[in-house]
Amino acid sequence: MNAMTTLQQAQASQRNLPILEARNLVKNYGKVAALRGVDVDLYPGEILGVIGDNGAGKSTLIKCLSGAEVPDTGTIAIEGREVSFREPTDARAVGIETVYQNLAVSPALDIASNLFLAREERRSGVLGTVFRKLDRKGMSKQATKAVQDLGITTIQNMAQAVETLSGGQRQAVAVARAAAFGSKIVILDEPTAALGVRESSMVLELIRRLREQGLSVVLISHNMPHVWE
């Protein structure tokens, strides 16, 4: 009983500690101060809204948190351990995935290929090691599971080209990719900016599902009703 109580206390204490901490982040572009001493605390299972007008520094902040930019000064810590990001792969290595406003999808490729973009898996044995053939069947199966886990019902065929999808469906593909590979944190930059009411509602529901899967979310937006929702 005492051991169980101690374990529960430890788990509760862990939930009360930020999964991501940023302190005094400063980023200047010449004489333009994009960030001036920004502090961020993101907790496990939290959706944290970062709100501001165009030019307020929101995108610069997430670039610093995701390794796309290096802050001039300040510190970033993941689960209490200070980290230093020099490029996005450094952030991905500690479980941070980012969906930028331009989505970074390849329209000519199919959905499965986009989910595994720059993470392509090769077939086992000689076909993969020598002939470097991709495991398209395996990637398609995993892509289907990633989409289904988020409850995305408007996408069924993983072989469908992304250029044939609507704006909301493309956003869903990008979110599914982030959920599939992000083990701790997903950062979303203006995910509803170019979407209509119905597609925006779909994306907001996807964000809730990310939280249900145990991920922490940073939501960048200038739309106050979406953030409140």
Side-chain angles (χ1 to χ4, degrees):
M1 186 69 174
N2 289 337
M4 180 59 70
T5 301
T6 302
L7 176 60
Q8 291 172 339
Q9 290 175 341
Q11 291 173 337
S13 176
Q14 188 175 19
R15 286 194 297 270
N16 291 328
L17 294 175
I19 192 170
L20 180 149
E21 297 176 82
R23 292 292 178 267
N24 195 33
L25 294 184
V26 174
K27 183 64 179 179
N28 297 308
Y29 298 100
K31 295 183 179 180
V32 178
L35 300 178
R36 302 177 182 177
V38 176
D39 295 338
V40 176
D41 285 322
L42 176 67
Y43 289 86
E46 179 183 30
I47 299 175
L48 174 65
V50 179
I51 312 168
D53 290 330
N54 292 333
K58 305 186 301 298
S59 293
T60 301
L61 173 61
I62 67 161
K63 286 178 180 178
C64 290
L65 296 179
S66 63
E69 294 277 8
V70 179
D72 298 331
T73 62
T75 61
I76 299 173
I78 302 296
E79 297 181 324
R81 181 175 62 87
E82 189 170 326
V83 294
S84 179
F85 299 150
R86 296 298 170 185
E87 54 188 26
T89 52
D90 295 335
R92 290 172 183 165
V94 297
I96 300 175
E97 285 291 325
T98 305
V99 179
Y100 296 102
Q101 193 168 353
N102 61 7
L103 294 185
V105 294
S106 181
L109 296 179
D110 59 41
I111 295 170
S113 297
N114 267 279
L115 255 72
F116 283 88
L117 199 63
R119 294 185 175 97
E120 292 82 0
E121 295 185 355
R122 302 196 182 279
R123 296 176 63 174
S124 60
V126 176
L127 289 177
T129 57
V130 177
F131 296 100
R132 303 183 64 80
K133 285 187 174 292
L134 298 179
D135 183 9
R136 298 191 183 279
K137 185 177 181 180
M139 289 189 291
S140 179
K141 184 177 180 180
Q142 292 181 61
T144 299
K145 184 179 185 303
V147 168
Q148 290 177 344
D149 285 347
L150 282 176
I152 302 171
T153 58
T154 59
I155 299 175
Q156 300 293 334
N157 182 10
M158 294 301 110
Q160 184 176 354
V162 166
E163 62 189 359
T164 65
L165 302 177
S166 68
Q169 288 173 322
R170 294 187 190 199
Q171 187 69 254
V173 169
V175 172
R177 180 175 60 194
F181 293 101
S183 60
K184 295 183 177 72
I185 300 165
V186 174
I187 302 174
L188 303 171
D189 185 10
E190 299 280 4
T192 62
L195 303 180
V197 175
R198 183 177 178 181
E199 292 190 324
S200 293
S201 297
M202 182 185 75
V203 171
L204 293 175
E205 181 60 30
L206 290 181
I207 295 171
R208 296 188 192 97
R209 291 182 182 275
L210 291 177
R211 178 175 58 187
E212 291 170 3
Q213 289 187 4
L215 294 166
S216 300
V217 180
V218 179
L219 173 61
I220 312 295
S221 180
H222 65 269
N223 189 313
M224 183 71 78
H226 286 176
V227 172
W228 279 117
E229 189 174 340

